[in-house]
Structures are given as structure tokens and as C-alpha cells.
Amino acid sequence: MNRLRKLKAILEDKKDSCAIILGSPNLFYFLEYSGAGALVYCDSRFTLLVPALEMYRAENVKDVDIVIYYPSKILENVIEGNIFKAIEKIINKNSIMVDVNWVDASTYRALSEKYRVMDFSNEITRLREVKDDDEIERIRKAGEITAVAMKIGMEKLSEGTSNEKQVAGIIDMTMKSMGAEDYAFPSIVAFGENSAYPHHIPTDRVLRNNDIVLFDIGAKYNGYCFDSTRTFVFKNSEAKKVYEIVLEAQMEAIDIVRDGIVASEVDVIARRVIEKAGYGKYFIHSTGHGVGVEIHESPAISMNSKQILKENMIITVEPGIYLKGRFGIRIEDTLIVTKGKPIVLETAYKLL
């Protein structure tokens, strides 16, 4: 697999160390493996360590050795003990490279007691930031599924009868019926004053006349995520004004996205438009984030980000204004960074 070759090229420069890759997103990224375990690199070989309950799933993984562990000797080829016992059997050096983003405190302590632990999370992050053709195609497909779910959700809105939970359920069911294995994150459906909470959890709140409706949804397709937000404005003159401000901020920010731009510049452009309109203190999150195996991953599109955007990164641009007790407006697109204008993977027209 090409991603394993890229990882091996990094690790071959660390000849005095072995490496341990932990975390479900990392294991899926490098192996297309969805299950518990750890990927170990030592002596130019990759070994996937898995508990016995995952051994059938692990049979489908290519280009690595498979080692199974279990608390007792239930099979001849099983290492008796936990994952640390399995690691000790494979690693024969005093130092190990670890992506510390995926190591909890107890695991880090256990590893540190036996090895000199060195962090190589930055190297893993850099590998995952730029997407290959297969990853881009999966994200495109996740976007197509999201677009259908967005449309169906809009069509199911009915004043006096639709509530947030029901519409969120319809959206989730639509995504799965279209081929998604799951949603990329719990679908957000927010009516009226609830739209002022950026990460609102759907409730029994029923749609009323003149309500703002906010959908923040995304499908997960073959391991890859999508993210889209649309806000629908119903007969509310102030909300329409705020919508226009957010839309201008988003479009101006999208317009400067390209290979070579510092990510913070995108945030600055969006924030400047909103601040000029007098709503700066109501824009309470960053302008965007990377999307891939995880719904939030590098690069961060924030005011303090020093990361440089690169061709084939996939990011979101999602400014918002949130007025507590009244309404919130957010507009979000997922887009592909290119050397010129970005490719916007739209899910619905942005209309008042």
C-alpha cells in the first residue's frame, strides 16, 4: 500500500528506533483496518497486533504480518498476555516512535517504563493532510450522499409537526440508504433559538412559523467524512441581514484558498467581514478544519494557524454568527485546495 511505503520512508531514517502506530483513524488510514490493535514497525517490517476477537477481521489486511494476543493461551499461535506483552515480543530496540495524539496516559506510562518514547505525531499528521486520488474520490462520494440527505431533510420540514430529532433521523436514514456506513458526526438539526448553539443536540423542539432552520450534517463513506452546513431563513428580516454577512464572509474566505496560502489568512478574511459588520464577538469558533478519515483533522483554519495550505488538502470554510436566545447562522462548504481556485463540493444552493 502506498501509504505504508510513505510511512516506511519516514521510519527508515530512524534506524535506532522502532515505531508504534495507535488510534483507529491511523490504523484505518494506513491499513484500511477498522478494529482494535496496534501497528508496529521494527527491523523494516510492519506487524499488526490484534486481540483474538479481531483475528478474522485482520485476515483481510495486506502487506503486514499479523500477531494475535489474548490473556490466556487459547490457540497455539497466540501471544499470552495483553498488548504490551505482544509489543515486547516484537520490539527489540530501546527507543520507539509514537504518535502521542493517540496514546492515553496509562499507555504512555507503560511504554515509557520500558522504552525511550519519541513523538512523531507531526510526521503522521503531515502524511494525512494531503489526500491522494482515492481519498478525494471517497470524500466526493460522501459529499454526494450528504447532498441527497440535505435535500430530503429540507423537503421533510413541516411547520407544527416536524421536530429536530425526527428530521435528524430522516437525514441519518437517508445517508445510510444511499451507501454511507454511518454519519461522520451526529447530525445537527436546529430550529429557531437552538440554531445559536454551534454544536446543538437535536431535541423535540417543533418547527414554528418564521423559524431559522440549521442543518450541519455529513456522511461517512468507505471510511472518509464530509461536512456541510446550510441555514434556511424564514421571513425574518434581521436573520436575512446576518445571513448575507455570513455568506459574504464565507465567499471571500473561499476566494483566497489555494496552494501556498497560510491557513490563518483564510480565517482573517472571514473574520474581518463579520467584524466590520459589527458582529465580531458573535463569531465564536475557527473558520474551518481539515476533513478526511476524521471529521476534524489537520490543517486548522484558525486565526493562530501557521500551517500552509497545499494542493489536495480538503478543508471546510464555515463562518458563523450566533445570537443567544434568538438565532444562529452558519454556512459551510467542504472544498479541495488546488493551485488555483478551490473546488467547492456543494451540497445545496445557498439561498435566502
Side-chain angles (χ1 to χ4, degrees), residues 31-36 48 50-62 66:
L31 301 174
E32 300 269 325
Y33 168 72
S34 299
L48 177 61
V50 300
L53 64 86
E54 299 284 17
M55 62 183 182
Y56 299 143
R57 194 198 309 264
E59 288 175 354
N60 298 317
V61 179
K62 300 176 181 178
I66 307 295

Side-chain angles (χ1 to χ4, degrees), residues 109-120:
R109 185 168 55 249
L111 293 173
S112 298
E113 288 174 356
K114 187 169 181 64
Y115 307 102
R116 182 166 67 98
V117 177
M118 295 178 290
D119 179 22
F120 78 133

Side-chain angles (χ1 to χ4, degrees), residues 146 150 185 188 198-199 214-218 226-231 243 246-247 250-251 254 285-291 295-296 315-320 322 329-335 344-350:
T146 304
M150 187 79 76
F185 55 93
I188 297 172
H199 284 169
L214 185 148
F215 291 172
D216 186 350
I217 66 173
F226 197 84
D227 202 354
S228 180
T229 304
R230 290 292 184 266
T231 307
Y243 185 98
V246 173
L247 180 59
Q250 197 220 20
M251 297 305 289
I254 287 174
H285 54 72
S286 62
T287 295
H289 54 85
V291 174
I295 190 59
H296 293 103
I315 66 170
T316 68
V317 175
E318 51 176 307
Y322 307 91
I329 305 289
R330 181 168 66 257
I331 307 170
E332 175 186 25
D333 286 303
T334 295
L335 48 124
V344 179
L345 305 174
E346 292 193 22
T347 56
Y349 290 115
K350 292 171 260 193

Side-chain angles (χ1 to χ4, degrees), residues 36-50:
L39 176 63
V40 174
Y41 178 82
C42 208
D43 294 332
S44 298
R45 296 182 67 85
F46 284 107
T47 304
L48 177 61
L49 309 179
V50 300

